Amino acid sequence: MESLQNREQQEILSRFFKTAPGEYGYGDKFLGLKVPQTREIVRLAKDTPLSEIPELLMSPWHEVRLCGLLLLVDKFESQATGRLTDDEAAIRKRDEIVTFYLKYAERANNWDLVDMSVHKIIGHWLMLPTALGSHGIGLHRDYKLRTLDALARSRNLWKQRMSIVCTWKTSQLGDPSWCLRYAEIHLNHPHDLMHKAVGWMLREMGKRVSTDLLRDFLRLHVHEMPRTALRYAIEKMSDEERRQWMTFKP
């Protein structure tokens, strides 16, 4: 990956991901690779053992960390196919990857690193059997709630983002409860990146599960929602309905 450095692209990415002093990505370093290049490396390196991935995740290079995260996604998805949903060996391998991902969560330290990995690992795990949290194998929703609550209550912005963006997958699979819970928890978050994430996930929940559920949430919270979150949440509605929500009066 280092041999593919692109100086012009480095400068573009450094500006795009806000790496100047005082910005959310301060100190991050880029090789200047485009995402398809990283994905191709992941494809070629898919047999990298789990034991070698920490070296990637601890790298100062943004794209190398992304490579490590995408390798974890690939490993998780290979154990989460329909026929392996209830396979005990696959369940334990998925649990190992989830535990590993959470251990290194702070290394997913920009929004793209979170957004390209968390729903495909943590979000999918929420909907699958697990052996974590108690004796035996089951859905163990209480344990999963505690796991996500710990991310949501963390003081780390990227862990907080994980707790809401992972619900992209749960909404895709038809369960709105995760999105509604963490959207409410983060509703008054001070950071614009979280406003965007909350609105985005609410929009996805409305699209994948029920627009009426989205409307119910908006009726409860429209007056306290940051405008950015509201705009993202209603983005796919008609022009007239968007205007109504932006000027809503009870």
Side-chain angles (χ1 to χ4, degrees):
M1 295 184 78
E2 290 178 348
S3 73
L4 297 173
Q5 275 187 331
N6 181 320
R7 192 166 298 280
E8 181 180 351
Q9 188 70 7
Q10 280 177 321
E11 294 176 2
I12 293 170
L13 292 173
S14 294
R15 289 194 300 271
F16 183 73
F17 286 106
K18 308 294 186 185
T19 62
E23 294 182 318
Y24 61 74
Y26 174 59
D28 206 352
K29 296 172 59 179
F30 291 84
L31 290 169
L33 275 66
K34 295 184 178 180
V35 171
Q37 290 178 285
T38 302
R39 289 195 182 278
E40 176 61 15
I41 291 163
V42 170
R43 188 186 69 80
L44 295 171
K46 64 180 181 178
D47 294 328
T48 302
L50 199 62
S51 61
E52 291 184 16
I53 292 180
E55 184 174 354
L56 302 176
L57 298 181
M58 296 308 295
S59 171
W61 298 113
H62 185 104
E63 297 93 335
V64 176
R65 298 196 304 281
L66 175 59
C67 182
L69 292 166
L70 293 179
L71 282 167
L72 290 178
V73 168
D74 184 77
K75 290 180 183 299
F76 187 92
E77 290 183 332
S78 73
Q79 300 299 319
T81 59
R83 66 183 182 83
L84 292 176
T85 296
D86 297 306
D87 180 86
E88 186 170 345
I91 289 169
R92 297 192 183 281
K93 287 177 183 176
R94 293 196 302 260
D95 286 348
E96 182 182 15
I97 294 164
V98 165
T99 301
F100 188 99
Y101 185 89
L102 292 171
K103 178 179 178 181
Y104 289 95
E106 291 187 17
R107 301 303 297 162
N109 56 349
N110 215 313
W111 57 265
D112 64 316
L113 302 178
V114 172
D115 296 358
M116 283 196 275
S117 62
V118 71
H119 62 296
K120 294 182 177 182
I121 298 177
I122 304 300
H124 202 171
W125 170 74
L126 294 175
M127 303 295 287
L128 293 169
T130 178
L132 295 174
S134 64
H135 297 295
I137 290 172
L139 289 177
H140 301 323
R141 186 179 175 91
D142 288 346
Y143 176 78
K144 292 172 179 177
L145 280 170
R146 290 196 301 274
T147 300
L148 251 63
D149 282 354
L151 291 173
R153 304 299 185 192
S154 166
R155 300 180 68 177
N156 180 281
L157 174 64
W158 309 116
K159 289 184 177 182
Q160 293 166 1
R161 190 175 173 96
M162 285 177 177
S163 70
I164 181 66
V165 174
C166 74
T167 71
W168 193 3
K169 188 68 172 185
T170 56
S171 292
Q172 286 174 353
L173 296 176
D175 186 345
S177 63
W178 300 94
C179 175
L180 294 172
R181 176 182 177 85
Y182 293 98
E184 193 165 45
I185 286 173
H186 292 305
L187 202 59
N188 296 303
H189 196 285
H191 204 294
D192 183 64
L193 283 175
M194 291 298 290
H195 302 169
K196 292 175 180 177
V198 166
W200 172 29
M201 290 303 109
L202 285 169
R203 184 183 74 224
E204 289 299 311
M205 185 279 298
K207 181 172 74 173
R208 303 285 184 166
V209 183
S210 168
T211 306
D212 286 338
L213 270 180
L214 172 57
R215 293 187 179 108
D216 289 344
F217 184 94
L218 294 177
R219 275 189 282 272
L220 283 173
H221 298 293
V222 65
H223 290 299
E224 60 181 315
M225 287 181 75
R227 295 296 92 177
T228 297
L230 178 59
R231 283 194 296 270
Y232 271 62
I234 63 177
E235 187 177 32
K236 297 300 182 182
M237 295 180 178
S238 68
D239 291 347
E240 177 59 28
E241 186 169 7
R242 290 203 307 275
R243 281 193 293 271
Q244 289 173 1
W245 284 116
M246 293 303 293
T247 59
F248 184 84
K249 293 183 174 66

